[in-house]
Amino acid sequence: NAGVTQTPKFQVLKTGQSMTLQCAQDMNHEYMSWYRQDPGMGLRLIHYSVGAGITDQGEVPNGYNVSRSTTEDFPLRLLSAAPSQTSVYFCASSYSSGGTGVKDEQFFGPGTRLTVL
Amino acid sequence: DAKTTQPPSMDCAEGRAANLPCNHSTISGNEYVYWYRQIHSQGPQYIIHGLKNNETNEMASLIITEDRKSSTLILPHATLRDTAVYYCIVRVLGSQGNLIFGKGTKLSVKP
């Protein structure tokens, strides 16, 4: 299994440009999420999805859109990039254990480093 | 989810045990204690989790106090590759998967 993959690894945008960060997992996980990490900070949740066709907002959703048309893919769209969105973006996935005793481990991708000028 | 408190940084000599504390005094009865670590520039990696009993796996041991208000992650024989930021997180098992990350503890393992 490739696990959680993210593309691109690095991206530079100009203010106002739009782009999509790709995330895919091959573990048949129901749950997927996007986090951002600013320098010296912990990760903050942007959006998440508990299954295909279902998404919800996290702590910092403004300026980002998501959709989940398949179990495998969960792209993150920046509609109009701003310098405040300069960050490292991590995608994660896990089983939705619902208390069944599965250890509920989240698997993280390698990250996308985004700079908005 | 309850909040956690961790020291910002710790040092450990290579080959010695690293003991990383975490305070979670407001933890609820159905919340588990999870530990993740983030090696520089990489995505976080799951280490271990527990409810009230001590847990051990191939990576580490987790000691939870009887009142569950604090816990300690133990890396029994720290290596230079264990240098990372360690995050202690409390959450309900299966609670939509959301993880609330604080700033964690930066562990530096020195030769």
Side-chain angles (χ1 to χ4, degrees):
Chain A
N1 287 350
V4 179
T5 58
Q6 293 183 237
T7 56
K9 287 188 169 57
F10 301 93
Q11 183 70 50
V12 179
L13 293 177
K14 295 181 179 178
T15 296
Q17 288 185 315
S18 62
M19 79 159 294
T20 300
L21 279 63
Q22 301 292 343
C23 175
Q25 53 91 10
D26 61 358
M27 298 173 281
N28 201 32
H29 286 168
E30 293 181 7
Y31 179 86
M32 296 185 73
S33 57
W34 277 100
Y35 293 86
R36 63 176 286 175
Q37 185 173 34
D38 299 322
M41 304 292 289
L43 282 71
R44 291 184 293 169
L45 184 67
I46 304 172
H47 284 285
Y48 65 95
S49 169
V50 299
I54 306 170
T55 64
D56 207 346
Q57 296 181 351
E59 180 186 357
V60 288
N62 292 342
Y64 307 95
N65 273 359
V66 292
S67 60
R68 184 94 178 271
S69 57
T70 67
T71 300
E72 294 78 19
D73 300 298
F74 190 44
L76 178 72
R77 297 184 189 84
L78 279 69
L79 307 174
S80 178
S84 61
Q85 293 179 304
T86 294
S87 190
V88 181
Y89 292 84
F90 291 102
C91 178
S93 73
S94 69
Y95 293 108
S96 181
S97 67
T100 62
V102 174
K103 66 180 179 180
D104 205 23
E105 170 184 357
Q106 285 208 18
F107 295 81
F108 285 81
T112 293
R113 284 145 187 81
L114 176 67
T115 300
V116 183
L117 303 175
Chain B
D1 288 338
K3 292 184 179 179
T4 62
T5 303
Q6 299 177 253
S9 64
M10 293 182 63
D11 290 340
C12 178
E14 189 178 17
R16 305 297 291 267
N19 297 284
L20 291 89
C22 179
N23 182 287
H24 32 79
S25 58
T26 59
I27 192 170
S28 300
N30 62 345
E31 287 181 315
Y32 285 67
V33 180
Y34 284 76
W35 284 83
Y36 281 75
R37 74 179 182 183
Q38 186 175 25
I39 297 171
H40 181 63
S41 298
Q42 299 180 20
Q45 175 190 23
Y46 166 87
I47 301 172
I48 198 167
H49 79 291
L51 182 63
K52 54 184 178 181
N53 297 322
N54 297 338
E55 302 287 343
T56 295
N57 63 19
E58 64 279 4
M59 291 181 68
S61 294
L62 174 60
I63 308 298
I64 303 174
T65 59
E66 192 169 343
D67 63 7
R68 302 209 323 123
K69 293 185 176 182
S70 65
S71 61
T72 301
L73 178 74
I74 300 172
L75 307 178
H77 305 288
T79 71
L80 298 179
R81 288 175 295 181
D82 292 321
T83 292
V85 178
Y86 288 77
Y87 296 99
C88 170
I89 299 166
V90 294
R91 59 182 288 267
V92 176
L93 184 70
S95 57
Q96 305 296 336
N98 297 345
L99 297 173
I100 299 176
F101 287 82
K103 293 187 178 182
T105 295
K106 167 67 174 175
L107 174 68
S108 299
V109 181
K110 299 180 184 290

